[in-house]
Amino acid sequence: MKKTIITVVGEDTVGIIAKVCTYLADNQINILDISQTIVQGYFNMMMITDMEKTQKQFSDIADELEELGKNIGVIIKCQREDIFKSMQRI
């Protein structure tokens, strides 16, 4: 399993979850866990995904998600689980 952490942050608008999830489904990326909140109009979502079945390279997925975020007005970051865990220990 290739676990990846995806975070989405920005002003809340209609369709953020739908657009991100559609991209993931189109690229055979499975959502293992998801949490989202809206605080005073700001949207925050964290997903744990499995990229085992995608045909794309991690760097391409990360770049495409970043571009998707720009198009919908949010910031999307994609990190490998091992790097995410290492950063949390610092």
Side-chain angles (χ1 to χ4, degrees), residues 5 7 58 77-90:
I5 312 302
T7 57
F58 173 83
K77 297 292 181 192
C78 187
Q79 300 175 325
R80 289 187 176 98
E81 180 187 39
D82 54 343
I83 293 172
F84 183 83
K85 283 183 176 181
S86 295
M87 288 177 51
Q88 300 306 311
R89 285 188 215 135
I90 295 175

Side-chain angles (χ1 to χ4, degrees), residues 25-39:
D26 289 347
N27 287 282
Q28 300 299 308
I29 298 169
N30 189 35
I31 299 168
L32 302 173
D33 201 355
I34 183 171
S35 172
Q36 66 92 27
T37 58
I38 300 169
V39 178

Side-chain angles (χ1 to χ4, degrees), residues 56-77:
K56 292 185 178 180
Q57 296 294 317
F58 173 83
S59 59
D60 294 332
I61 296 288
D63 290 345
E64 290 173 8
L65 282 170
E66 185 176 348
E67 188 62 31
L68 173 63
K70 289 178 185 175
N71 292 339
I72 62 176
V74 296
I75 298 169
I76 302 177
K77 297 292 181 192

